[in-house]
């Protein structure tokens, strides 16, 4: 029986240090994050005030990083930070569908035509095509909604259609598994030349462009070893494919895999990069990972972030195309950023005269309202003061009085003023016995002196004078029924 002993303290220390370093290295590896701005749509900025940004947030293994928050995203337009709010959705949630044209390699380097070819050791040649079938079928099953897919295979002889554009993902996956297998070997022993790969790629890009009712996101997904009948000269064919891809809004996603030479894979990588696509390479000893790699690409497409950016009202746009850069603080805390390769046309908002006029109207209305309120308050205050200074203005006065004046014309018509004192003064300011709010009445206009029940009216040198029964007076004794005019006010005198 073998006995296990605990390691010595130094050994434990070494082990702990090694474990710590390993964990740190693992953390660093996990922290490698990158953001790829795939597309920016600025056509809704002028009518709706929004800019849509489509971006992938992935790690080194191209696994999608979830949990992005809008407050962790900063947008720079022409290198200036533009404040605003950002709504974050996945492409699937935002119903941003995708059209994917699949091109499957089915030439001799991938598939044994007879299905029974033997290698040098007498074992059957590896059949990458079976794994390719499984992977693309899994990819298609990951699609949903209005995602559309079409499938072709290529070999040394031709480009062969497998599935026309369809939204029936289940049927398309079954067709890949049952109809994509290349035709059986015809028994010919002559050497077979390499396929015309890059011509086929250009043909499919143009087919995508001519198809109707495809979503904006358009992908050509190819798995290949990059071999072409033109050999190394295949790199010269990149330019026309890239031009066609840009014209038709297509990006190339390329999965590079070869069972023999890998020198032609670089052309696929260059082509994917030039179209804004993605390149993944699978080593020959990682052949079993083909299905998972292909399926993961579908997950990326469905989980692409759609960022709806609402700039603040202070940002009015630009009449020229702008450069847009996005900086993100990933859920792990790492800061990453990417600038969209193409200038974006967003437009410039016209001056909002309607809103300005509304605010001006609101302001003027508020000022007018305040003016009227102050005017009303002032009138109330003046009326209260006048009433307070008048000896008797109440019609229901029941106390002793010597005579009374009743307003029969002017601003106080209908009011009665009772004479209860020996001397009653009449004017337009507080302090008089009777206060009349009449612009024709002087501050201290006139007065009535009562002595032995004789009522003597005297004018105090008023501006407009005092009239009794239409005659201007300086002093005069009053008789029952006399009418006194002071400005616009006419008062009828009556004895008790």
């Amino acid at each position: 029986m073998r006995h296990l002993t605990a390691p010595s303290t130094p050994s434990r220390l070494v082990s702990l240090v090694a474990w710590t370093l390993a964990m740190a290295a693992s953390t660093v590896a996990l922290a490698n994050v990158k953001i790829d701005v795939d597309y920016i749509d600025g056509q809704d900025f002028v009518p709706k005030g929004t800019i849509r940004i489509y971006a992938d947030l992935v790690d080194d293994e191209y696994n999608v990083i979830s949990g992005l928050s809008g407050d962790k995203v900063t947008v720079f337009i022409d290198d200036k930070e533009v404040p605003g709010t950002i709504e974050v959705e996945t492409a699937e949630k935002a119903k941003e569908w995708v059209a994917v044209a699949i091109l499957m390699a089915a030439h001799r380097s991938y598939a044994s035509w007879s299905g029974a070819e033997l290698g040098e050791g007498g074992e059957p040649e590896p059949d990458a095509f079976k794994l390719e079938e499984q992977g693309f079928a899994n990819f298609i099953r990951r699609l949903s909604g209005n995602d559309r897919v079409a499938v072709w295979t290529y070999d040394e002889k031709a480009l062969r259609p497998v599935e026309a554009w369809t939204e029936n993902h289940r049927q398309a996956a079954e067709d890949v598994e049952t109809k994509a297998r290349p035709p059986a070997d015809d028994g010919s022993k002559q050497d077979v030349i390499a396929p015309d790969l890059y011509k086929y790629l250009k043909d499919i890009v143009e087919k995508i462009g001519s198809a109707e009712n495809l979503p904006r996101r358009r992908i050509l997904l190819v798995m290949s070893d990059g071999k072409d009948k033109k050999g190394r000269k295949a790199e010269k064919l990149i330019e026309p494919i890239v031009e066609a891809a840009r014209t038709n809004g297509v990006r190339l996603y390329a999965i590079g895999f070869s069972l023999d030479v890998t020198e032609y894979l670089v052309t696929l990588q260059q082509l994917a990069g030039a179209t804004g696509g993605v390149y993944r390479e699978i080593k020959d000893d990682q052949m079993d990972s083909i299905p998972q790699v292909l399926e993961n690409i579908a997950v990326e497409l469905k989980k692409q972030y759609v960022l709806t950016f609402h700039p603040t009202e202070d940002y009015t746009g630009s009449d020229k195309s702008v450069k847009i850069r996005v900086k993100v603080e990933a859920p792990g805390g790492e800061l990453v950023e990417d600038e969209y390769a193409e200038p974006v046309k967003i437009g410039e908002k016209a001056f909002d005269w309607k809103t300005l006029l509304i605010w001006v109207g609101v302001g003027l209305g508020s000022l007018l309202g305040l003016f009227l309120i102050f005017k009303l308050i002032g009138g109330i205050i003046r009326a209260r003061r006048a009433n307070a200074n008048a000896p008797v203005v109440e019609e229901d006065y029941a106390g002793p009085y010597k005579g009374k004046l009743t307003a029969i014309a002017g601003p106080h018509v209908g009011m009665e003023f009772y004479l209860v004192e020996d001397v009653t003064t009449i004017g337009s300011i507080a302090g008089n016995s009777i206060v009349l709010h009449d612009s024709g009445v002087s501050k201290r206009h006139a007065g009535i002196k009562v002595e032995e029940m004789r009522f003597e009216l005297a004018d105090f040198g008023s501006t407009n004078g005092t009239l009794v029964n239409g005659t201007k007076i300086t002093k005069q004794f009053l008789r029952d029924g006399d009418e006194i005019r002071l400005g616009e006010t006419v008062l009828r005198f009556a004895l008790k």
Side-chain angles (χ1 to χ4, degrees):
M1 180 180 293
R2 185 173 56 180
H3 295 278
L4 300 178
T5 58
S8 65
T9 300
S11 297
R12 282 200 301 250
L13 182 60
V14 170
S15 298
L16 180 60
V17 171
W19 180 83
T20 303
L21 292 175
M23 290 301 294
S26 174
T27 302
V28 170
L30 290 174
N32 290 331
V33 177
K34 68 176 181 178
I35 184 171
D36 177 26
V37 177
D38 169 32
Y39 179 72
I40 297 180
D41 184 359
Q43 65 180 356
D44 283 341
F45 175 71
V46 172
K48 298 181 180 179
T50 60
I51 299 172
R52 272 203 155 186
I53 301 168
Y54 301 81
D56 297 300
L57 189 64
V58 295
D59 61 19
D60 284 343
E61 301 298 324
Y62 291 95
N63 296 307
V64 176
I65 296 174
S66 59
L68 180 62
S69 173
D71 59 359
K72 302 298 184 182
V73 181
T74 307
V75 177
F76 297 85
I77 300 180
D78 286 337
D79 288 327
K80 293 182 180 179
E81 181 179 343
V82 178
T85 59
I86 295 178
E87 298 173 15
V88 179
E89 295 179 295
T90 62
E92 187 170 25
K93 184 177 180 181
K95 299 188 184 303
E96 286 286 341
W97 312 115
V98 64
V100 183
I102 293 173
L103 180 59
M104 303 172 61
H107 52 296
R108 283 183 181 271
S109 295
Y110 268 58
S112 301
W113 285 2
S114 66
E117 292 190 17
L118 300 180
E120 294 180 359
E123 297 294 328
E125 287 285 355
D127 192 346
F129 190 81
K130 290 182 179 179
L131 297 172
E132 191 182 16
E133 279 180 326
Q134 180 184 344
F136 278 118
N138 291 345
F139 173 93
I140 295 171
R141 290 188 179 98
R142 284 279 188 172
L143 302 180
S144 62
N146 297 124
D147 292 330
R148 302 193 71 191
V149 64
V151 184
W152 287 266
T153 63
Y154 79 94
D155 55 34
E156 293 88 343
K157 298 180 180 181
L159 176 67
R160 307 177 190 276
V162 175
E163 188 73 40
W165 287 108
T166 182
E167 294 178 4
N168 188 339
H169 310 125
R170 178 182 298 179
Q171 185 61 53
E174 291 178 2
D175 289 345
V176 164
E177 293 175 324
T178 59
K179 298 180 180 180
R181 171 64 53 174
D185 190 356
D186 58 8
S188 173
K189 300 300 182 181
Q190 63 181 3
D191 292 335
V192 180
I193 61 173
D196 204 352
L197 170 61
Y198 292 94
K199 177 182 180 302
Y200 298 153
L201 288 174
K202 184 171 180 294
D203 287 348
I204 294 179
V205 169
E206 292 173 347
K207 290 178 187 295
I208 296 174
S210 63
E212 297 182 354
N213 302 321
L214 294 185
R216 178 199 62 80
R217 293 196 301 164
R218 300 176 179 185
I219 305 293
L220 169 51
L221 177 58
V222 57
M223 181 169 175
S224 173
D225 54 12
K227 292 178 182 178
D228 186 89
K229 68 180 182 181
K230 294 181 176 61
R232 292 181 182 275
K233 295 181 181 179
E235 295 181 17
K236 297 181 180 180
L237 299 177
I238 288 179
E239 186 174 344
I241 299 174
V242 172
E243 183 178 351
R246 289 177 177 172
T247 300
N248 296 291
V250 178
R251 293 188 301 148
L252 182 74
Y253 276 47
I255 307 300
F257 173 76
S258 177
L259 285 168
D260 43 39
V261 296
T262 60
E263 58 189 284
Y264 304 114
L265 296 179
V266 66
T267 307
L268 284 176
Q269 184 175 9
Q270 292 172 350
L271 184 54
T275 62
V278 168
Y279 175 77
R280 310 281 165 78
E281 186 171 327
I282 301 174
K283 304 299 183 182
D284 59 357
D285 59 351
Q286 299 172 334
M287 186 172 174
D288 290 342
S289 69
I290 290 175
Q292 191 60 55
V293 171
L294 290 171
E295 186 174 353
N296 284 349
I297 290 179
V299 175
E300 287 179 42
L301 293 174
K302 302 302 287 183
K303 290 188 176 181
Q304 183 180 65
Y305 284 112
V306 180
L307 311 176
T308 303
F309 177 44
H310 300 259
T312 59
E313 291 296 329
D314 294 337
Y315 182 73
T316 58
S318 172
D319 60 347
K320 299 179 181 179
S321 296
V322 297
K323 298 290 287 183
I324 297 182
R325 175 164 52 94
V326 177
K327 179 184 287 187
V328 169
E329 181 182 339
E334 187 172 356
L335 290 175
V336 291
E337 61 181 87
D338 186 38
E339 183 173 87
Y340 187 51
E342 301 293 333
V344 181
K345 184 71 174 177
I346 60 174
E348 187 173 17
K349 291 182 179 178
F351 188 77
D352 194 352
W353 286 104
K354 182 178 179 181
T355 301
L356 176 63
L357 291 175
I358 290 174
W359 280 109
V360 169
V362 170
L364 292 176
S366 299
L367 291 175
L368 178 60
L370 289 173
F371 173 76
L372 293 175
I373 290 172
F374 287 131
K375 192 77 173 175
L376 177 61
I377 292 173
I380 293 172
I381 292 173
R382 286 192 296 272
R384 287 182 176 178
R385 285 177 178 173
N387 293 337
N389 288 307
V392 179
V393 295
E394 301 285 347
E395 292 187 2
D396 58 353
Y397 178 74
Y401 65 92
K402 301 173 181 181
K404 70 176 179 178
L405 301 172
T406 303
I408 62 174
H412 299 283
V413 65
M415 294 182 65
E416 294 181 335
F417 303 93
Y418 294 88
L419 306 177
V420 298
E421 299 175 351
D422 292 336
V423 177
T424 301
T425 60
I426 305 171
S428 62
I429 64 172
N432 290 289
S433 302
I434 298 174
V435 178
L436 300 178
H437 299 294
D438 185 327
S439 60
V441 175
S442 298
K443 294 179 180 179
R444 291 182 62 81
H445 196 105
I448 299 175
K449 180 180 178 182
V450 182
E451 187 175 348
E452 296 180 356
M453 290 306 293
R454 299 180 68 190
F455 297 82
E456 184 180 25
L457 173 64
D459 182 80
F460 292 164
S462 64
T463 302
N464 296 318
T466 301
L467 287 77
V468 176
N469 299 325
T471 301
K472 191 172 184 179
I473 61 96
T474 301
K475 284 185 179 182
Q476 180 173 319
F477 285 103
L478 297 173
R479 293 179 298 176
D480 188 55
D482 283 345
E483 294 183 359
I484 306 166
R485 176 177 286 275
L486 304 91
E488 298 297 324
T489 301
V490 179
L491 303 172
R492 179 180 290 137
F493 171 72
L495 294 171
K496 182 175 178 182

